[in-house]
Amino acid sequence: ILTILGNSAVLATAVKRSSLLKSPELLTVNLAVADMGMALSMYPLAIASAWNHAWLGGDASCAYYALMGFLFGVCSMMTLCAMAVIRFLVTNSPKSNSNKITKNTVCILIAFIWLYSLLWAILPLLGWGYYGPEPFGISCTIAWSKFHNSSNGFSFILSMFLLCTVLPALTIVACYLGIAWKVHKAYQEIQNIDRIPNAAKLEKKLTLMAVLISVGFLSSWTPYAAASFWSIFNSSDSLQPVVTLLPCLFAKSSTAYNPVIYYIFSKTFRCEVRKLQCCCGWRLPYFSSDSCAEHPVPSTWGG
């Protein structure tokens, strides 16, 4: 529910402000689409299986569920990687070159991300790697435990781990360390000025927001990755069902974090959400949209 409501607000805001969206913000929209896709295609089946105390359906539904999870998971990871690279390029480029990243360029990048994710998702269906049920039996994913004595499966896991996890994660960390150093040097240069320029404040806020989105995603998936890799080299029976279940649930909760981060850090997004509340006939008691009308805000709200 949180995932659908939050990301629906992100997408509705993006549609409403489509003419004002900047190129990097399209990646924020793509991240919301991936989160929504995961919630709509996977969660109902997993919830129904949980109530049933066993997986509903056979091998076909299991393969479908695992494929959707792999597709949207890799898409989210690569989108975060692209966001980090673009923020790094924008931060380290002169203002005259900062607009060279056009919407067409970002759209091509998004298309490549989806094709790349789809390729990795269908490889197990083509014979490289396997899909199977989780140890706790109410969801499906890559069949980690089948890779003990399989060179085919192990090569798939190793390649996927390097190209879909390690390299994107290292790229994200390297880009944000570079951005942090650039912002630190910029603040040192203006430390003798009484008033910090608004552009510098906005740059710092956007960078912090992007870092939190990436940290939230990586930290929520790290326990699941650790439990999965334990299953590669050890019997899945060595882990209690709850030990494999909790990391899985924590990983899936990552789809609900991003709209909360946008709401906290973006005044524009807060105002648009409050306007949506008024249009839908409901409003939160602690918020008022009056301040949005009185105080215009910058157009940038994501990415």
Side-chain angles (χ1 to χ4, degrees):
I1 292 173
L2 291 175
T3 297
I4 292 174
L5 290 179
N7 288 288
S8 294
V10 173
L11 295 177
T13 301
V15 170
K16 185 178 179 181
R17 300 181 56 257
S18 57
S19 60
L20 300 175
L21 287 179
K22 296 183 178 180
S23 302
E25 292 177 310
L26 295 178
L27 290 170
T28 305
V29 176
N30 191 57
L31 191 60
V33 170
D35 289 343
M36 282 282 288
M38 183 175 289
L40 294 175
S41 65
M42 298 172 60
Y43 296 174
L45 188 55
I47 293 170
S49 297
W51 282 104
N52 189 54
H53 300 282
W55 179 252
L56 289 176
D59 294 339
S61 63
C62 185
Y64 159 80
Y65 184 94
L67 185 145
M68 291 294 104
F70 200 12
L71 170 65
F72 293 120
V74 174
C75 181
S76 297
M77 184 66 171
M78 300 309 297
T79 300
L80 290 172
C81 182
M83 287 172 63
V85 172
I86 289 181
R87 283 231 52 79
F88 178 80
L89 294 176
V90 170
T91 303
N92 288 274
S93 298
K95 286 187 177 181
S96 58
N97 296 328
S98 60
N99 294 324
K100 287 189 175 180
I101 303 176
T102 63
K103 286 188 176 181
N104 287 336
T105 302
V106 176
C107 288
I108 294 173
L109 179 60
I110 290 174
F112 172 79
I113 288 172
W114 281 102
L115 290 175
Y116 184 82
S117 305
L118 181 61
L119 172 64
W120 279 102
I122 63 176
L123 283 176
L125 301 180
L126 300 178
W128 193 29
Y130 313 95
Y131 285 138
E134 300 266 18
F136 50 85
I138 58 172
S139 70
C140 295
T141 184
I142 298 171
W144 307 95
S145 59
K146 288 186 178 181
F147 300 142
H148 292 295
N149 301 314
S150 170
S151 59
N152 172 52
F154 188 77
S155 63
F156 171 77
I157 286 295
L158 183 61
S159 302
M160 182 272 294
F161 181 64
L162 290 175
L163 298 177
C164 298
T165 306
V166 174
L167 287 179
L170 290 178
T171 302
I172 290 171
V173 172
C175 287
Y176 286 131
L177 286 177
I179 292 172
W181 175 252
K182 178 72 174 180
V183 172
H184 173 69
K185 296 295 290 184
Y187 267 72
Q188 279 188 330
E189 293 175 1
I190 60 177
Q191 62 182 349
N192 295 326
I193 303 177
D194 293 335
R195 184 176 180 181
I196 299 176
N198 288 332
K201 293 180 179 178
L202 179 60
E203 185 70 30
K204 184 177 181 180
K205 181 180 290 188
L206 289 175
T207 300
L208 180 59
M209 182 168 65
V211 168
L212 288 177
I213 292 170
S214 299
V215 168
F217 183 86
L218 293 175
S219 61
S220 62
W221 280 92
T222 298
Y224 180 76
S228 299
F229 272 85
W230 174 272
S231 299
I232 296 176
F233 302 103
N234 301 274
S235 172
S236 57
D237 296 334
S238 61
L239 294 176
Q240 294 294 325
V242 68
V243 177
T244 56
L245 173 62
L246 291 179
C248 182
L249 294 177
F250 189 47
K252 288 180 170 63
S253 69
S254 65
T255 57
Y257 299 159
N258 296 339
V260 178
I261 296 174
Y262 301 148
Y263 194 89
I264 293 173
F265 284 90
S266 174
K267 186 182 293 184
T268 302
F269 183 62
R270 287 197 300 271
C271 292
E272 294 293 344
V273 169
R274 292 167 191 168
K275 291 177 183 178
L276 287 175
Q277 293 169 6
C278 295
C279 292
C280 295
W282 57 275
R283 59 169 56 195
L284 298 178
Y286 299 105
F287 298 115
S288 170
S289 59
D290 296 340
S291 60
C292 300
E294 294 173 1
H295 304 289
V297 292
S299 63
T300 302
W301 59 270

